[in-house]
Amino acid sequence: MQQNIKELKLYTQYLPEVKRYLSQLEEQDLWWTTVAMVGKINNEKMDPQLLVSIVETQKEFQQLRDMMIEALITRYLNQANSEVMLKAQATIDMINRNLFERTADVGFLATDDDLVNFMAESQPDASQQNFIQNRLEEYVAKYSVYDDIVLLKPNGDVAAKLNPNNQAQHSQDPLIQEALIGKEDYIEIYRHSDIFPQHGKSLIYAKRIQKQHGRETKTIGVLCLSFRFTQEMDLIFDILNSQDAAYEILLKDEHGEVLASDCPKTHPVGQKTSPPILSEKPISQDNQLQFYAQAKGYEGFMGLPWFSQIRVDNQIAFAEKTNSQSIGLKISPESPVYLKDLEQTNLKVSTLLLIVILNGKITSLKKDVQSFLPILDSFQDISRNIAEIFHDFIHHIHDVLIDTIQDKVRFSGTLAAEIMDRNLYERANDCRWWALNSTFRQMLSLHDQGEALNGEQEAELHRILKYINSLYTVYTNIILYDRKGMVLAISDPAQSELVGHSLGQVRDSQACLLLNSTQSYTVSEFEQTKLYNNRPTYIYHAAVKDWHNIQKNVGGIALVFDSEPQFEAMLKDTEPKYQIKEIQQASFSMFVQLNGILIACSHPDFAPGLVMDLPNELLAFEAGKTGTLGWKINGKNYVVGYQMTQGYREYKTSDGYDNPILALALTPI
């Protein structure tokens, strides 16, 4: 118990409710001692064993008091630790998920035919320079996470660059040679580089560009992408600190240098600190809770050796939650989180004291010691007071548990909504960019003019689509179709029977063929489709433009999103985490449309396409709204955290696509 006493001394100053209960219990303990002393002095005729029983029962009470205080502090600690750990893990995992997508981007763009052909030219003319400049601009217009792209010759000369503020003409950065001759598929670095001299530090993704000459492969340059690192971290900080800006969120490298900071006044970027130390739980130090987290990994990608750190003053960490809303649920005695042990111990102490009082009254009457009866009456008052305090105490601990669960599910809902938007942002980018592939445009333009594609041309279309799909495995198929909606090529050879037949997505393909901009795209409803084995999913479409007339559409590209495993992974990664196994196993998350159609659920009993009877409260919230509520499903009460998706960057905020989705995290009580 000694360790718990130390925790008491450390944390009760931040916990007024604990201090209140402790004061009440100590008052009863003092009154118990006083009454026992009076009884001992003034009642020599009484059986001494009775007083011994009173003292022993008092010790039981004191143990229960310490257990109660320990339980309450532990709950407050769990609540504070949970929030700190969730924010830390979410920080590093969100940036790591984003950067995983960049590794696919650099791999694909380095093999783009237009970039390869341009780099193969020893002296490109003005028209070729203009073409490649436009190509880079189109890319960043879609993948807005980049602020610059540079193409370098093997000797370090700059062949093309996107950002006019970049004055680089030549680079001596060693990453060029690493990319040219290294064994890695790509180079990922974060430091200053003369490739992007306008930045203090740059997060760069680099890959060699190669040209095939018969059986010979020649390395002809290096592609470098500059990621909007500071902007992206600010977006993450805004999401994770929107409820409470008092948390200090930092991103550090393995040496302890601050790379990004949500508190630049106290911890500016570039600040040198001690190297990160991982621990199972937050460490209390200097009146703060502190915790480091490293990426859990996404699709095997761990990224650079970075760590997130959360720091929060104890006064803030243990402060009463002002944003918790009453959801009208109580923890039932059947719940795994119900404090049965404390209730049983409370009953034991009350019973022991009642037995002592009854024995005392019987003995007093037998021995005609009437003067001891007031003493026993005082103990009866103490017993009632203690029972009332402990009842209120246990009720309060249960309320703290519900508050903790509310915090967990609310945060999980927020994370799930954010990760869904970020993931689908990439899908909207992919379809628009791949629709601009020059080979696609040239061949579909010929086809649109009435020229039948020969076997070699069809094979080339299949090859390109298959290569793209091998890099971007979140799709089950990528399909090219003409202006009549007839399938011309697919990425999945197992679905070759689609070629030469109607795509079948008439509403969506027609909408795609009416798109008037290379920035436009359209997405199917979440519905069953033969293109996804008669299961529901999203299909992303973008128009393929005529090679000679960018205003004319000659076909479209359709990306069949592999929704089941992708959405399930998103939900699993963001589910609330609990130490109690039964609660963890019974918790789950879901994505659901406002019409009740279930998009995905981490619980096997709820299949995509199922129509849920949503509570009315969920139907009245705008984008970005978050909160908690109680919801009874199949006779079981759940604490539900929710967030309506609000988009990411321009996706669903300014690109014309409207598709509000509810992210829900559910925990039974």
Side-chain angles (χ1 to χ4, degrees):
M1 194 66 69
Q2 188 66 33
Q3 178 62 39
N4 297 325
I5 292 173
K6 289 182 180 179
E7 287 183 353
L8 262 174
K9 292 180 179 178
L10 178 62
Y11 295 116
T12 50
Q13 59 182 311
Y14 310 113
L15 300 169
E17 286 298 309
V18 174
K19 286 196 288 186
R20 179 172 70 85
Y21 284 118
L22 186 59
S23 175
Q24 291 176 348
L25 293 172
E26 286 179 343
E27 182 180 331
Q28 296 302 314
D29 190 34
L30 179 61
W31 182 231
W32 191 321
T33 301
T34 302
V35 172
M37 186 70 69
V38 171
K40 182 177 182 180
I41 293 173
N42 297 314
N43 293 276
E44 295 180 357
K45 296 181 181 180
M46 283 298 296
D47 184 353
Q49 184 58 41
L50 180 64
L51 293 173
V52 171
S53 297
I54 290 173
V55 171
E56 289 177 349
T57 304
Q58 183 180 13
K59 291 179 180 178
E60 293 272 1
F61 157 71
Q62 290 168 342
Q63 289 181 353
L64 176 60
R65 176 199 63 195
D66 291 343
M67 284 175 61
M68 290 284 196
I69 294 298
E70 178 190 356
L72 185 53
I73 290 178
T74 298
R75 267 46 181 202
Y76 276 113
L77 269 173
N78 286 344
Q79 187 181 54
N81 287 345
S82 175
E83 188 156 1
V84 168
M85 294 167 72
L86 283 171
K87 284 182 183 288
Q89 196 64 57
T91 300
I92 190 67
D93 285 343
M94 284 176 73
I95 188 63
N96 194 63
R97 268 180 169 267
N98 192 315
L99 300 186
F100 167 76
E101 298 280 355
R102 313 297 55 100
T103 64
D105 288 351
V106 72
F108 177 68
L109 191 57
T111 60
D112 179 82
D113 288 344
D114 294 322
L115 268 64
V116 171
N117 292 334
F118 173 80
M119 292 301 290
E121 293 286 338
S122 57
Q123 295 291 331
D125 58 30
S127 65
Q128 291 171 319
Q129 287 282 358
N130 290 336
F131 176 82
I132 210 65
Q133 184 70 24
N134 177 262
R135 190 90 171 118
L136 298 181
E137 289 172 358
E138 283 278 12
Y139 187 81
V140 171
K142 285 120 182 101
Y143 297 88
S144 55
V145 295
Y146 301 110
D147 60 23
D148 203 357
I149 301 175
V150 172
L151 300 175
L152 295 154
K153 292 290 187 179
N155 65 356
D157 286 344
V158 174
K161 57 179 182 282
L162 173 69
N163 194 331
N165 295 320
N166 185 347
Q167 301 300 313
Q169 299 297 324
H170 180 83
S171 172
Q172 295 181 329
D173 196 309
L175 84 77
I176 298 172
Q177 288 304 309
E178 290 178 42
L180 290 172
I181 63 176
K183 296 181 180 179
E184 301 296 329
D185 286 338
Y186 60 88
I187 304 295
E188 180 186 28
I189 62 164
Y190 182 63
R191 56 171 171 74
H192 178 71
S193 172
D194 62 1
I195 301 171
F196 303 103
Q198 71 270 32
H199 300 315
K201 287 187 176 182
S202 299
L203 180 52
I204 302 172
Y205 291 83
K207 183 174 176 63
R208 58 183 164 269
I209 300 172
Q210 296 179 308
K211 177 76 172 179
Q212 196 78 24
H213 295 279
R215 295 184 178 180
E216 182 184 354
T217 300
K218 183 180 180 182
T219 301
I220 56 176
V222 175
L223 164 70
C224 294
L225 304 179
S226 173
F227 180 73
R228 296 181 187 268
F229 174 67
T230 301
Q231 183 193 61
E232 181 61 27
M233 290 308 304
D234 287 343
L235 290 174
I236 292 174
F237 292 150
D238 286 345
I239 291 293
L240 299 181
N241 238 354
S242 60
Q243 297 277 336
D244 193 345
Y247 284 76
E248 297 178 349
I249 309 180
L250 306 171
L251 189 70
K252 296 182 176 181
D253 65 15
E254 71 271 34
H255 305 297
E257 181 178 340
V258 177
L259 306 178
S261 172
D262 196 33
C263 44
K265 290 184 178 179
T266 52
H267 301 288
V269 171
Q271 183 183 57
K272 303 293 194 298
T273 67
S274 56
I277 299 176
L278 294 174
S279 57
E280 289 187 2
K281 293 183 179 180
I283 296 171
S284 182
Q285 185 176 346
D286 301 328
N287 295 320
Q288 282 188 324
L289 289 179
Q290 303 181 34
F291 185 73
Y292 281 101
Q294 62 182 155
K296 291 185 296 186
Y298 181 63
E299 300 285 342
F301 174 74
M302 297 300 297
L304 292 167
W306 290 351
F307 299 81
S308 58
Q309 183 188 23
I310 299 291
R311 301 162 61 102
V312 59
D313 290 342
N314 287 338
Q315 197 73 48
I316 300 296
F318 293 103
E320 186 175 350
K321 302 295 181 183
T322 57
N323 56 355
S324 289
Q325 54 201 108
S326 176
I327 58 175
L329 292 181
K330 300 296 181 183
I331 296 176
S332 69
E334 294 76 29
S335 171
V337 298
Y338 192 84
L339 300 173
K340 296 181 180 67
D341 290 345
L342 290 183
E343 193 172 64
Q344 290 170 359
T345 306
N346 181 25
L347 180 62
K348 175 185 175 183
V349 172
S350 299
T351 303
L352 287 174
L353 187 53
L354 179 62
I355 291 171
V356 169
I357 293 168
L358 289 174
N359 286 338
K361 287 189 175 183
I362 292 170
T363 303
S364 298
L365 292 173
K366 282 183 176 180
K367 295 190 175 185
D368 196 22
V369 187
Q370 300 294 324
S371 60
F372 199 72
L373 291 176
I375 299 296
L376 295 172
D377 288 340
S378 294
F379 277 120
Q380 197 155 359
D381 290 339
I382 291 172
S383 176
R384 281 194 294 266
N385 291 340
I386 289 173
E388 185 176 333
I389 293 170
F390 279 157
H391 179 270
D392 185 41
F393 200 110
I394 292 173
H395 177 75
H396 180 76
I397 296 178
H398 284 157
D399 285 344
V400 173
L401 281 168
I402 290 177
D403 285 345
T404 301
I405 292 172
Q406 283 184 262
D407 286 341
K408 284 178 178 282
V409 295
R410 181 194 297 111
F411 193 70
S412 291
T414 297
L415 282 184
E418 183 69 15
I419 286 176
M420 181 191 217
D421 278 339
R422 285 165 169 265
N423 187 295
L424 299 186
Y425 157 86
E426 304 287 349
R427 313 302 53 104
N429 296 342
D430 292 345
C431 69
R432 292 177 295 169
W433 175 246
W434 298 340
L436 290 177
N437 180 280
S438 293
T439 301
F440 296 166
R441 290 180 61 193
Q442 290 167 357
M443 291 191 183
L444 265 66
S445 295
L446 291 174
H447 175 77
D448 192 61
Q449 293 166 11
E451 293 189 25
L453 299 179
N454 60 41
E456 186 177 333
Q457 291 171 320
E458 290 179 351
E460 179 65 4
L461 293 178
H462 288 303
R463 184 196 66 79
I464 296 173
L465 291 174
K466 185 177 180 181
Y467 172 68
I468 295 172
N469 211 161
S470 70
L471 290 175
Y472 295 81
T473 56
V474 298
Y475 306 109
T476 59
N477 207 354
I478 305 173
I479 303 167
L480 278 175
Y481 57 91
D482 65 16
R483 274 206 299 161
K484 296 178 182 178
M486 303 298 289
V487 175
L488 299 177
I490 45 89
S491 66
D492 181 12
Q495 299 187 50
S496 58
E497 73 278 1
L498 295 173
V499 178
H501 294 84
S502 171
L503 181 69
Q505 304 286 310
V506 177
R507 178 189 59 207
D508 302 317
S509 60
Q510 288 181 347
C512 173
L513 293 167
L514 292 175
L515 297 175
N516 58 10
S517 165
T518 58
Q519 285 298 98
S520 301
Y521 65 97
T522 188
V523 187
S524 72
E525 297 293 330
F526 185 78
E527 58 190 7
Q528 287 185 343
T529 170
K530 67 175 185 179
L531 301 178
Y532 195 55
N533 198 23
N534 294 317
R535 295 171 295 166
T537 192
Y538 289 115
I539 300 178
Y540 289 77
H541 297 256
V544 177
K545 299 293 184 178
D546 184 89
W547 181 244
H548 300 289
N549 181 3
I550 198 70
Q551 303 303 321
K552 179 183 177 183
N553 297 332
V554 292
I557 189 168
L559 281 55
V560 183
F561 184 57
D562 194 4
S563 61
E564 285 192 6
Q566 292 300 317
F567 285 144
E568 183 179 358
M570 295 179 208
L571 293 173
K572 282 291 186 183
D573 285 351
T574 57
E575 272 184 350
K577 302 295 187 290
Y578 300 98
Q579 294 180 353
I580 299 175
K581 184 178 179 181
E582 297 93 327
I583 292 295
Q584 183 66 60
Q585 291 177 339
S587 296
F588 60 96
S589 300
M590 63 174 68
F591 292 128
V592 62
Q593 297 181 147
L594 293 182
N595 59 7
I597 294 177
L598 188 66
I599 290 175
C601 185
S602 58
H603 193 296
D605 289 350
F606 300 91
L610 180 72
V611 179
M612 306 291 294
D613 185 15
L614 296 176
N616 290 332
E617 302 98 303
L618 291 177
L619 306 180
F621 294 107
E622 66 273 13
K625 184 70 175 179
T626 185
T628 57
L629 53 80
W631 187 9
K632 180 172 282 189
I633 304 177
N634 297 334
K636 184 178 292 187
N637 286 322
Y638 289 88
V639 180
V640 181
Y642 61 83
Q643 170 131 348
M644 186 82 77
T645 57
Q646 58 185 336
Y648 170 67
R649 295 183 178 270
E650 65 278 1
Y651 173 70
K652 292 205 300 190
T653 62
S654 60
D655 63 0
Y657 180 44
D658 183 29
N659 183 36
I661 301 295
L662 279 165
L664 308 178
L666 301 90
T667 292
I669 61 169

